[in-house]
C-alpha cells in the first residue's frame, strides 16, 4: 500500500523539468501500479493561462503527454474556435496517472474517475506546477480539477461564468483569477443533439478566460 500523498516525492524546485523528472518516480498513491507512466503537465513556463483537466486517458498514458487523445482534439478545436494558441498555455491534470478498468472483453481500457483520496494524494504536484508557472488565469476543466483546488463540496455548474479566487490564501503563494468550465470529455459524451451547445459553451468559457488576461485584470 502506497502512502497517500505525493508530497514526499515533490522536490523543492520551481523548475518544471525537475518537477516532471521527479514525478516519474511518484508512488504517492496506488495509481502508478497499473498505469504506463506519469503524465506530467506540458507547455510554457511563461504561460499566463493554465488549464487543468482530470487525469490522463488511454492515449495520454501511452504517449506521456496531456490532452492528446479524443478529449485533447476536442480541446484543440475549442481553443482554435476561441482564438487561443495552445503554445501559450500550460496544460495539466489534477491526477497524473491513468485510472482505468478493463472492458468486458478484457482488452479495452476504460476510464475510471479518480477517488477523492487519489485527487488529494496527487495535489502536491498540481500545487508545485501552479507555483512554478504562476499563471494569471487558471481554468479548471470539470469537477475533478475544480474540487481539487476549490474544495470537495464545490459545485462547478453553480460557478460557470464567474471569476473566482483560490480558497485558503495561505496555502497558495499567489492569487490567480480562477474560472471553471465543463470537461471536454463531457462534450464528447453528451447526446448528439446537445453537443454543439456544449461545445459552444466551452469555447465561450475559453474566450472569457482569455479575455480576463487581455483586460489586464
Ligand atoms: N482527459 C483529461 O482530463 N486529461 C487528459 O489529459 C486527457 C483526457
Ligand atoms: Fe503520484 Fe499522482 Fe501518480 Fe498517485 S496519481 S502515483 S500521487 S503522480
Amino acid at each position: 500500500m502506497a502512502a497517500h500523498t505525493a508530497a514526499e516525492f515533490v522536490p523543492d524546485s520551481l523548475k518544471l523539468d525537475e518537477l516532471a523528472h521527479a514525478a516519474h518516480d511518484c508512488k504517492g498513491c496506488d495509481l502508478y501500479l497499473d498505469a504506463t507512466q506519469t503524465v506530467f503537465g506540458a507547455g510554457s513556463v511563461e504561460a499566463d493561462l493554465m488549464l487543468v483537466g482530470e487525469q490522463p486517458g488511454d492515449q495520454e498514458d501511452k504517449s506521456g503527454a496531456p490532452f492528446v487523445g479524443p478529449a485533447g482534439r476536442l480541446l484543440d478545436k475549442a481553443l482554435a474556435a476561441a482564438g487561443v494558441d495552445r503554445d501559450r498555455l500550460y496544460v495539466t491534470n489534477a491526477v497524473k496517472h491513468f485510472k482505468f478498468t478493463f472492458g468486458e472483453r478484457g482488452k479495452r481500457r476504460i476510464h475510471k474517475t479518480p477517488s477523492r483520496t487519489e485527487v488529494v494524494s496527487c495535489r502536491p504536484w498540481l500545487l508545485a506546477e501552479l507555483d512554478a508557472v504562476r499563471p494569471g488565469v487558471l481554468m479548471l476543466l470539470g469537477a475533478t480539477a475544480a474540487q481539487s483546488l476549490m474544495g470537495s463540496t464545490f459545485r462547478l455548474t453553480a460557478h460557470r461564468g464567474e471569476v473566482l479566487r483560490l480558497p485558503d490564501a495561505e496555502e497558495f503563494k499567489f492569487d490567480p483569477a480562477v474560472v471553471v468550465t465543463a470537461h471536454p470529455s463531457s462534450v464528447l459524451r453528451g447526446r448528439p443533439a446537445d453537443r454543439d451547445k456544449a461545445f459552444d459553451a466551452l469555447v465561450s468559457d475559453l474566450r472569457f478566460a482569455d479575455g480576463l488576461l487581455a483586460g489586464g485584470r
Side-chain angles (χ1 to χ4, degrees), residues 39 53-57 60 65-68 71-72 92-93 183 185:
V39 179
E54 184 194 70
Q55 64 169 347
E60 289 79 12
F67 281 106
V68 295
T92 191
N93 285 299
H183 193 284
S185 300

Side-chain angles (χ1 to χ4, degrees), residues 21-33:
H21 185 75
H24 278 93
D25 298 321
C26 184
K27 299 180 169 62
C29 74
D30 288 341
L31 292 184
Y32 78 94
L33 290 169

Side-chain angles (χ1 to χ4, degrees), residues 116 123 127 130 147-152 165-176:
R116 178 73 193 157
R123 201 166 174 267
L127 298 187
L130 265 171
Q147 292 182 355
S148 175
L149 293 178
M150 303 302 287
S152 59
R165 297 283 162 196
L166 292 170
D168 307 329
E170 332 67 82
E171 194 184 352
F172 301 98
K173 301 180 192 99
F174 74 121
D175 183 29

Side-chain angles (χ1 to χ4, degrees), residues 117-132:
T117 310
E118 288 150 356
V119 172
V120 172
S121 298
C122 211
R123 201 166 174 267
W125 290 120
L126 182 55
L127 298 187
E129 289 173 293
L130 265 171
D131 204 18

Side-chain angles (χ1 to χ4, degrees), residues 31-70:
L31 292 184
Y32 78 94
L33 290 169
D34 295 328
T36 308
Q37 59 189 313
T38 305
V39 179
F40 206 65
S44 169
V45 69
E46 315 256 274
D48 49 14
L49 176 57
M50 175 162 160
L51 306 187
V52 185
E54 184 194 70
Q55 64 169 347
D58 179 74
Q59 293 190 31
E60 289 79 12
D61 173 76
K62 289 173 181 153
S63 73
F67 281 106
V68 295

